[in-house]
Structures are given as structure tokens and as C-alpha cells.
Amino acid sequence: MDVAQTCAVCENVSSGMHFGAETCRACGAFFRRTVACKLVYVCKHAQNCDVSKEKRNTCKSCRYSRCINVGMKVELVQPNRDNSLPRREPPPPQKSPPKTLESSPSTSSFHEFFITEDNNGSTPTQTDQDLIHAMIRAYKDLVEQRKSYMRLFGANNDGLNDMFAPEESASNAVIGIEEFSLEEHVTCSKLELQMFGEMCMKLPVFHQLGSEQRWILFKQFWRNTVALDRAFETVNLLGVDDDKRMIMHNRKAFNIYDVTVAEAENHGQMGVFEIRRLFGPMLINTYEGLILPMKRLKPSLFEFVTMTGLLLFPVQLSDAKEHTREVCRKARESLMTSLHSYFTSNGIHNYSTRLSLIMDVTYAAEKTVAKIKEDVIMAQIFNAWKLDVTLSEIFDK
């Protein structure tokens, strides 16, 4: 009788050789994803965390270091396995990695990401006139990063393997569903939170702000921009006809008037019917209040990114210092000047009606998020389900 081999990383049952070491399928997928996406993790302790099967997801930094120590080789990972994935040099394990977010971030890691001062002198200078172009580049990077996550998580065995369909996603396919999973939504939202955070940190004007002020701006920006981004992708993928579906982060689409809630371990005292009755109006409000106006506008990428910039640099912001308000004011002026140039260069000289629609949709995103916050509070009061700590704390701010 053959004796089952154990994973050299987490001591689970091995599924064979992966990148030069005897490991389980989950650790093999974790190593491949880390190298291919050039992810860098931060250990919050002393680089000696337990990475056994039950705790291997607790510290990804120590898990990756363990992969290296047991002989897994980064050169055996094929970054061009998908032709649309760029070839990159993998990061070595390090105790003081460059500033990035963890792949399973907590509220404190997000906070530390923004309050850690840049001390390497590598932040590029940039005039306000270049702001819109920097934002477009950063958003395009986010879109490519999102595609990578969708492909790579499709092969992951850490609980996300049923969430994405890599083959379909690569061709911009939409996956129709009739059942909405709160667990999937929370997981995808945390990934979006990470990617939008990295997008902000690519903007030199963002580094003109004090570290705590960045965090204040981001908390408000992220909530509103994710809602705007969902509406933008819904219009791009489903068109502007009478399609009443809404696109989620993982390109799963459901009819907001006819959807059920999947059974899940994180449900609280309320059943799926009660949860649907509680959050049904939220979905309808999102569709009618934000997606329909977005369909009427059908913005270009330039217009959409301008709207995200207006959300990042708001007019009214509580707890902001005077310098932050001045940076926001100048950034908004820059964005509006760039938008004027965009219109006139495209032969649109009387653009008052379209500008009004752009401002209406931007405001609709803020109103939609305000309603979502109310529903989150109701979920907490009635214990509808066990809210994710990270998202709950950020929404409460």
C-alpha cells in the first residue's frame, strides 16, 4: 500500500510535484498566483507564523516564504501561460516589501497602506494638467489586474474556485445567474478595495496629501467609485437596451427584479427570503437610480475616469485639512479643464447637456452608496448575516 505523501508547505495531503516540491494543489495554486501576479505580502508578526492546513491563509507572507524554503522554484512558473498575462520577474520573499496591499487584507492593512509615508523618493512629479491621463493609465492597469485575478483564482483551491470562469472571462463573456451569493460579493469587494487602493497610490497628486488625509479621501472614494464602476461595466457589457441585469465584480449578471439569495455559512438569524426582502429594494434602487442614468449617458472611458476623479477629490469632505481641500479643489479644476478640452477636440462645443448628465450620474453614485450604507446598518441591527469585518468597518466610517 502506498503511503500518502504530505504537502511540504502546509502538511496537507500532497497532490504531486508542483514547481519543484511535493505540495497540495492549493499551495501549488497559491505559489503560481503569487509569482504570476507579482504579489508581495507583509507579515504582521516575526516571520514565523503557522502555515499548516488550518492556518495557511492567515499569513500569506510566511506561506510564500515556506514555499521558497521547501524548494519551490519561481522560474518554473510560466507567466505566459495565458498570452494576455505579462511576463514579470517574481518578487523574492522579504521582511520589508515595497508598499502594496495584502491579497486578503484587513482594515488595519488598508489603513497602514495609506498612512505609511513614502521615503524612497521615487514618487514622480506631475502637473495638475496631467491628472486625467495618469488616472486613465491607473484605471487601465486596474482593469488588467482584475482580469488576472479572475483567471488565476479560477485555478485556486482556496475556496474561490467556483467563483470565476477563466475561459469565459478572457473573452468578456457574461455569466448569467439566478442566485446571488453574498459570500462571493464580499470576497470580490475586498479584491476591488485592494485594486482601487493601488490605483490611487499611482497618482502623484495623491501623494501631495498627508498620509492620514489619503486614508480619509480613499474611504469615501472607494465606496462611491465601486458603485460607479459596476454601472459602467454593466453598460459596456450588456448595452443600453432594456436588459434589467446587473454585472457583479466577477462578470456574473443577474436580473435585479428576479434573483434569489444563495444559502451561505455567513447568514445570521434571517433566512434567505427575509434577506431578499431586505436587500431587494437596494438592488432596484441601484439599477433605477444609477445604472439607468448610466445607460442614458453611455460615457466614454475619458468621461468615466473624469467622474471617478470627481469622486476622489470631492467638494465636501469632513475631517479634511485645509491643504487637502485645496488639493481637491485644484484637482477638480484640472479635471474639468481636461473635460472641456476633450469635448472641444471632439467637435462638441455646446456640451452643457452632456456635462449635466455626467454630474447627475456622479451624484447618483453617491446617493446609491448612501442607500447601501443604510441597508448595511439594517443588516447589523437585524443580524441578517455575519458582516465581513473589513468592509463593515470601512462602510461604518
Side-chain angles (χ1 to χ4, degrees):
M1 180 181 295
D2 295 334
V3 178
Q5 298 292 320
T6 59
C7 172
V9 177
C10 71
E11 299 180 352
N12 190 16
V13 176
S14 170
S15 63
M17 295 295 292
H18 296 277
F19 310 112
E22 188 87 28
T23 71
C24 64
R25 192 177 303 277
C27 287
F30 165 79
F31 184 76
R32 179 172 71 88
R33 184 173 71 250
T34 299
V35 174
C37 275
K38 200 177 179 181
L39 300 176
V40 183
Y41 309 114
V42 179
C43 177
K44 295 181 180 179
H45 302 290
Q47 292 287 328
N48 59 355
C49 299
D50 183 0
V51 293
S52 59
K53 177 184 176 182
E54 292 77 14
K55 298 181 179 180
R56 64 190 179 195
N57 291 322
T58 303
C59 180
K60 288 178 169 51
S61 175
C62 288
R63 186 182 185 186
Y64 179 62
S65 295
R66 176 70 175 170
C67 290
I68 297 296
N69 291 338
V70 300
M72 299 182 78
K73 302 185 184 301
V74 296
E75 60 268 23
L76 296 181
V77 177
Q78 299 176 356
N80 60 339
R81 180 172 171 174
D82 187 319
N83 290 333
S84 59
L85 276 175
R87 183 181 296 273
R88 300 170 178 173
E89 291 299 322
Q94 50 187 299
K95 293 186 179 181
S96 301
K99 191 187 313 187
T100 186
L101 292 174
E102 299 174 70
S103 64
S104 296
S106 63
T107 304
S108 60
S109 69
F110 284 125
H111 192 196
E112 292 168 2
F113 180 68
F114 288 105
I115 68 172
T116 302
E117 297 289 354
D118 299 307
N119 54 14
N120 56 10
S122 61
T123 301
T125 59
Q126 173 181 304
T127 63
D128 284 341
Q129 287 72 24
D130 296 326
L131 174 58
I132 184 63
H133 302 293
M135 292 198 69
I136 290 174
R137 288 193 298 270
Y139 182 74
K140 286 182 177 180
D141 289 345
L142 180 148
V143 171
E144 290 304 312
Q145 187 179 12
R146 181 185 286 156
K147 291 178 182 178
S148 297
Y149 274 126
M150 292 174 71
R151 286 190 296 267
L152 292 169
F153 278 135
N156 182 21
N157 196 30
D158 284 340
L160 298 174
N161 53 312
D162 295 327
M163 184 176 302
F164 300 105
E167 297 84 2
E168 291 184 300
S169 299
S171 60
N172 285 342
V174 173
I175 307 168
I177 60 172
E178 297 179 353
E179 197 173 59
F180 177 70
S181 170
L182 292 169
E183 290 177 305
E184 287 187 13
H185 178 65
V186 168
T187 301
C188 289
S189 294
K190 291 173 73 174
L191 291 175
E192 294 290 301
L193 178 60
Q194 169 181 337
M195 290 186 287
F196 275 108
E198 294 175 352
M199 172 183 164
C200 288
M201 295 301 286
K202 292 178 180 178
L203 306 177
V205 66
F206 200 58
H207 291 266
Q208 295 177 16
L209 303 173
S211 53
E212 288 286 355
Q213 297 296 294
R214 298 179 203 161
W215 175 238
I216 292 172
L217 278 184
F218 177 75
K219 285 186 294 183
Q220 179 166 311
F221 161 80
W222 171 77
R223 298 187 298 244
N224 299 327
T225 302
V226 165
L228 191 74
D229 180 65
R230 291 300 87 226
F232 182 62
E233 189 167 33
T234 296
V235 172
N236 283 338
L237 294 181
L238 299 182
V240 296
D241 56 10
D242 195 33
D243 194 326
K244 294 181 172 58
R245 291 180 298 167
M246 177 178 176
I247 298 285
M248 301 310 295
H249 308 292
N250 48 8
R251 294 233 169 108
K252 290 186 177 180
F254 60 89
N255 187 324
I256 53 95
Y257 294 100
D258 184 24
V259 63
T260 60
V261 180
E263 293 283 355
E265 295 179 358
N266 61 352
H267 283 177
Q269 297 177 353
M270 298 180 68
V272 292
F273 177 77
E274 289 80 7
I275 293 176
R276 174 66 180 87
R277 187 170 60 180
L278 177 64
F279 287 97
M282 178 196 72
L283 297 175
I284 294 174
N285 176 71
T286 300
Y287 180 80
E288 296 180 351
L290 179 56
I291 294 178
L292 285 182
M294 183 74 79
K295 286 185 176 185
R296 289 192 290 269
L297 175 61
K298 197 176 180 180
S300 65
L301 176 64
F302 193 102
E303 292 170 324
F304 167 74
V305 174
T306 298
M307 289 189 283
T308 66
L310 296 176
L311 292 173
L312 177 57
F313 303 104
V315 176
Q316 297 180 343
L317 187 64
S318 58
D319 301 325
K321 296 180 179 179
E322 184 58 35
H323 173 68
T324 301
R325 298 179 193 276
E326 181 65 12
V327 169
C328 289
R329 184 187 65 79
K330 290 183 178 180
R332 292 177 71 88
E333 288 181 357
S334 169
L335 291 168
M336 298 308 290
T337 299
S338 298
L339 188 60
H340 167 76
S341 299
Y342 170 80
F343 285 141
T344 55
S345 65
N346 284 278
I348 307 174
H349 298 282
N350 186 10
Y351 55 78
S352 58
T353 300
R354 187 154 188 85
L355 179 59
S356 177
L357 286 174
I358 288 174
M359 300 307 294
D360 286 345
V361 172
T362 306
Y363 177 61
E366 295 175 321
K367 286 184 62 178
T368 297
V369 169
K371 180 64 171 65
I372 293 175
K373 285 187 66 177
E374 293 177 3
D375 291 329
V376 168
I377 293 173
M378 292 296 292
Q380 292 174 316
I381 293 175
F382 292 102
N383 191 23
W385 80 84
K386 300 174 183 177
L387 292 171
D388 180 86
V389 174
T390 301
L391 298 182
S392 176
E393 288 187 6
I394 292 179
F395 259 100
D396 286 345
K397 301 300 182 182

